[in-house]
Amino acid sequence: MQKKPLLIVTKNELLIKELVQGLSTLFDVSVEGSIHVAYHRVLDLLPDTIVFDKTSYRKPSDFKNLKNFKATHFLKKTHLAIYCSPLEIKIMAKRYKDLVDEFHSTAAGLEQLVIRISRTAEQLKLNYWHECFMGLYHLMKQPVLLLEKDQIVNMNEVARNTFRASKEMFEVTDIVRPIDRSAIRGSLRKFAKGKHMKATTETTLRITKQKLRNARITISKLNIKIPDTFIMLIDFTGDEYCLRASIGSTAAEVENSLAMAKCMVEQNFTRREKEIITLLCKGYKTKEISEALFVSPKTVEKHRSSIIKRTNSDTILESIIYAINHNLVEIPRS
């Protein structure tokens, strides 16, 4: 489960210990003792929840800039909670009723504070990178897609009009030619696992079932900690043309890279891997392969994992299908 960012503003060491211990399974907890510094930390962290310990700050002036913590678009939905005495709750509720989301009384104790913050966390379904994206991507004059793995989570109006988006369009592979789908999936998996935050390439996109258009696409990760979430920006490089059996992609870079990838897979398969995947294609189980090749079952499993990795697959079944489709193994015809 993805942890949510939580900022605690306090000087109370006991409170810090109790909250960190009680909330660390749900939150990535950050602590700041200075209110002034905390504001700058908030802009950096964009926390789902902020907890202010009023008991640590006695001067009225300490809270005069509390509104700054919700002053930007990125912080509008942050859950702002104040921990204070029952008397202070009455005073602050009048002064900050439109700003503070919840007050926690010191009379209830720290254990109840942990419980209430935990319950609030379960109800909050905030996603700040998504909020930021949604606030900006409609302004873009080029098609922009929001992706989670190969799923299209959302697209701006330009993309919706360009691809004549329908309810059936749920995956990024719905906007590429059928023969490119496995390559696109493999590329996204590699990009997600890699260290780079951005990648650019050229490809051919399917505008409608019968219309194609060459494009330069840029894929960017939104957060290094969430590697499977991307923004895809599309820059078209030519006019639409019809999809016909005699016409292939004019995106030479992509075609060459696919051909090279196939060549690399063929060259990188070891003799033993070819033997194993050939037997797998015939329906042999791990134990049967082990007996046929006079190797241990663990060795067979090791080669299976290597085959899955080489073909950018998730399962050995995908690897088998890939190997057959790309003629990487010879299957005797009955």
Side-chain angles (χ1 to χ4, degrees):
M1 182 180 68
Q2 185 72 36
K3 291 185 179 181
K4 299 178 180 181
L6 165 70
L7 177 64
I8 304 170
V9 185
T10 183
K11 297 177 182 178
N12 186 329
E13 293 297 329
L14 177 60
L15 185 145
I16 293 171
K17 180 180 178 181
E18 289 292 328
L19 292 189
V20 170
Q21 183 176 340
L23 299 172
S24 58
T25 57
L26 292 174
F27 292 96
D28 280 325
V29 182
S30 300
V31 180
E32 184 52 61
S34 164
I35 293 180
H36 176 71
V37 175
Y39 175 61
H40 297 284
R41 291 287 304 277
V42 162
L43 292 177
D44 187 41
L45 295 171
L46 298 180
D48 281 24
T49 303
I50 302 172
V51 178
F52 272 95
D53 172 26
K54 179 64 172 65
T55 64
S56 293
Y57 310 95
R58 296 296 183 183
K59 297 178 182 177
S61 59
D62 287 336
F63 271 60
K64 67 179 181 180
N65 293 323
L66 191 62
K67 62 179 182 295
N68 288 342
F69 287 85
K70 284 200 172 184
T72 71
H73 166 76
F74 307 107
L75 298 170
K76 290 294 185 184
K77 292 187 178 180
T78 296
H79 187 82
L80 183 57
I82 305 293
Y83 180 67
C84 56
S85 68
L87 178 60
E88 288 174 320
I89 288 178
K90 293 181 179 179
I91 298 171
M92 297 191 71
K94 292 180 180 179
R95 186 174 299 174
Y96 301 109
K97 63 179 180 180
D98 297 326
L99 182 65
V100 177
D101 297 289
E102 193 170 9
F103 289 95
H104 300 283
S105 173
T106 55
L110 292 178
E111 186 176 343
Q112 281 300 311
L113 176 62
V114 170
I115 292 172
R116 290 184 63 183
I117 294 174
S118 299
R119 287 176 180 171
T120 301
E122 293 174 357
Q123 297 170 359
L124 292 175
K125 294 184 178 179
L126 304 184
N127 207 327
Y128 277 101
W129 59 262
H130 184 265
E131 290 294 321
C132 298
F133 177 82
M134 296 295 286
L136 296 174
Y137 86 147
H138 283 299
L139 301 177
M140 301 292 287
K141 295 182 179 180
Q142 66 194 113
V144 186
L145 309 178
L146 176 63
L147 308 178
E148 287 184 3
K149 294 185 178 178
D150 55 359
Q151 301 291 307
I152 298 176
V153 177
N154 214 316
M155 61 176 69
N156 68 349
E157 203 61 33
V158 178
R160 201 170 293 280
N161 292 334
T162 299
F163 296 105
R164 285 69 154 177
S166 64
K167 293 181 180 179
E168 289 73 33
M169 187 177 290
F170 295 115
E171 300 181 1
V172 69
T173 50
D174 291 327
I175 62 172
V176 301
R177 299 177 308 164
I179 62 172
D180 292 337
R181 287 180 178 177
S182 61
I184 291 294
R185 286 195 182 99
S187 297
L188 288 176
R189 289 185 192 126
K190 279 187 175 180
F191 179 59
K193 294 176 182 177
K195 63 180 180 180
H196 299 292
M197 289 294 291
K198 187 175 76 169
T200 301
T201 189
E202 294 181 359
T203 188
T204 302
L205 299 179
R206 199 159 58 105
I207 306 303
T208 64
K209 288 185 178 180
Q210 299 300 324
K211 296 283 186 178
L212 300 177
R213 195 169 179 187
N214 295 331
R216 185 176 182 83
I217 61 172
T218 300
I219 301 175
S220 176
K221 294 174 185 174
L222 289 169
N223 191 316
I224 193 64
K225 296 181 180 180
I226 313 175
D228 291 330
T229 304
F230 322 111
I231 286 179
M232 177 186 284
L233 292 90
I234 301 170
D235 290 298
F236 289 111
T237 56
D239 297 327
E240 293 182 5
Y241 58 93
C242 294
L243 175 63
R244 298 197 299 271
S246 61
I247 297 181
S249 169
T250 58
E253 182 180 335
V254 174
E255 292 299 318
N256 290 339
S257 66
L258 292 176
M260 186 180 295
K262 176 183 175 182
C263 180
M264 288 175 61
V265 171
E266 288 180 321
Q267 291 175 352
N268 288 338
F269 266 135
T270 65
R271 177 182 60 82
R272 182 65 81 188
E273 286 170 350
K274 286 184 178 180
E275 290 175 345
I276 289 175
I277 199 166
T278 299
L279 293 175
L280 286 168
C281 290
K282 293 179 180 180
Y284 279 56
K285 307 297 183 186
T286 297
K287 185 178 179 182
E288 295 170 336
I289 295 173
S290 170
E291 294 171 352
L293 299 180
F294 302 102
V295 296
S296 70
K298 285 188 177 180
T299 300
V300 176
E301 289 296 335
K302 183 178 178 181
H303 285 303
R304 281 168 60 112
S305 297
S306 178
I307 290 168
I308 291 172
K309 184 177 180 181
R310 290 188 196 282
T311 56
N312 294 315
S313 303
D314 287 330
T315 66
I316 194 63
L317 179 59
E318 284 187 30
S319 297
I320 292 171
I321 294 172
Y322 182 93
I324 293 173
N325 287 341
H326 292 80
N327 299 315
L328 300 183
V329 292
E330 295 182 5
I331 306 299
R333 303 292 180 183
S334 56

